Amino acid sequence: MSVGLLFDTTRCIGCGACSSACKEQNKLPGPVEEVTTAYTWTTVQPREGVNVRKLCMHCAVPTCVSVCPVGALQKTPEGPVVYDGEKCMGCRYCIMACPFDVPKYQWDRPVPVVGKCILCAGRVKEGKPTACAEACPVEATIFGKREDLIWEARTRIRKEPDKYLNHVYGLSEAGGTSVLMVSGVPFEKLGLKADLPNEPPAMKTWQVLSNIPDFVGVWAVFLYGVHWITARREDVAKVENHGNGRSSKEDRS
Ligand code: SF4
Ligand code: SF4
Ligand code: SF4
């Protein structure tokens, strides 16, 4: 059973409860920022007289997963694309590969990792809705089975054709996504890419990489070495700080 979210720009009142609930659920530090960052996994932006949510789209065939050399990103059977910061070696290949410009890097950390929405994978596994959908007071964001959300989106469009564009964003973009959107304002005016192919770019990326002999292996070994050296330096610095009686801050989240 594949699940997802349906976001409706015509219903969103821009209250920001979804962004705040995400922060709380995922214990992300700092206030909600205006754009998505490694610490703000979803944000609500006013555009063209409506509000639009920005978050990972949870692609059916995610490019971020196919390009990660160490398997730090994984697509779960339920739909969420999850991330393991312990495996991440900081190559940033997912950032370059994502067609929706989603993963963000912890530029402020000595050993940075990537941050992005994980579609509340833990909650979803327990049969609960995502925190953002649960927090939305007007059902502008709803959670459910992807096929039910598609039916709901099409029903809203059919019932009020003057209110909505006849398009469900995410139905086929980049091969289809678990996050779907409906709107009365063209999606490109909301900062969403409208020119994406209907086939998953993941396949293309992998085909390109697989044509370069040993590219992934050699690059992975090199980057893992860089990551190890950086982490090692931090460990040494921590030990030295302890020796000097200073406390060490390490809060990878
Ligand atoms: S939107 Fe980007 S980060 Fe999210 S699953 Fe798709 S490729 Fe990965
Ligand atoms: S699905 Fe969960 S992780 Fe993703 S934006 Fe909503 S609350 Fe945040
Ligand atoms: S909680 Fe709902 S209404 Fe409020 S900003 Fe988020 S999607 Fe919009």
Side-chain angles (χ1 to χ4, degrees):
M1 180 197 68
S2 180
V3 298
L5 297 174
L6 172 62
F7 173 68
D8 187 337
T9 65
T10 73
R11 294 192 181 196
C12 179
I13 56 175
C15 65
C18 48
S19 308
S20 301
C22 179
K23 281 258 174 194
E24 197 178 330
Q25 172 68 35
N26 296 293
K27 300 183 174 53
L28 300 171
V32 174
E33 293 154 282
E34 285 178 14
V35 294
T36 52
T37 69
Y39 310 110
T40 295
W41 293 353
T42 184
T43 192
V44 188
Q45 298 172 356
R47 299 227 181 182
E48 302 285 328
V50 298
N51 300 294
V52 61
R53 284 192 66 188
K54 297 289 161 92
L55 73 168
C56 173
M57 300 295 286
H58 297 276
C59 306
V61 185
T63 322
C64 59
V65 172
S66 67
V67 299
C68 181
V70 292
L73 289 143
Q74 294 292 332
K75 177 86 175 167
T76 64
E78 296 84 18
V81 174
V82 296
Y83 170 73
D84 183 348
E86 293 298 314
K87 284 188 184 167
C88 178
M89 61 180 188
C91 67
R92 286 173 275 158
Y93 211 64
C94 56
I95 295 173
M96 291 182 266
C98 173
F100 297 100
D101 189 27
V102 168
K104 296 290 183 291
Y105 207 49
Q106 292 176 335
W107 295 105
D108 58 329
R109 302 283 169 104
V111 186
V113 291
V114 164
K116 74 161 201 76
C117 158
I118 53 167
L119 201 61
C120 289
R123 290 174 62 98
V124 166
K125 222 175 173 52
E126 291 170 10
K128 294 183 195 161
T130 63
C132 55
E134 191 172 77
C136 182
V138 291
E139 296 192 334
T141 295
I142 57 172
F143 170 83
K145 287 186 202 165
R146 186 173 186 266
E147 61 194 61
D148 293 346
L149 296 175
I150 293 169
W151 183 86
E152 175 65 23
R154 285 184 169 147
T155 303
R156 288 185 195 180
I157 293 170
R158 183 171 43 79
K159 281 188 176 167
E160 295 184 88
D162 295 338
K163 188 171 164 185
Y164 292 100
L165 296 168
N166 187 18
H167 183 68
V168 181
Y169 191 86
L171 195 58
S172 57
E173 275 80 7
T177 59
S178 295
V179 175
L180 305 165
M181 298 194 185
V182 287
S183 173
V185 177
F187 294 101
E188 60 270 28
K189 291 190 173 173
L190 302 177
L192 293 159
K193 290 186 185 172
D195 55 353
L196 291 169
N198 288 348
E199 61 182 292
M203 298 306 293
K204 287 182 183 166
T205 307
W206 185 247
Q207 281 157 4
V208 170
L209 289 179
S210 62
N211 283 333
I212 306 171
D214 299 331
F215 173 84
V216 175
V218 171
W219 187 235
V221 168
F222 168 74
L223 287 168
Y224 198 82
V226 171
H227 176 71
W228 186 86
I229 291 166
T230 312
R232 179 77 190 135
R233 279 187 188 147
E234 194 191 33
D235 286 343
V236 170
K238 269 194 296 181
V239 170
E240 286 176 357
N241 285 347
H242 269 300
N244 294 337
R246 281 181 282 165
S247 68
S248 144
K249 267 196 249 167
E250 188 192 27
D251 52 349
R252 281 174 65 180
S253 58

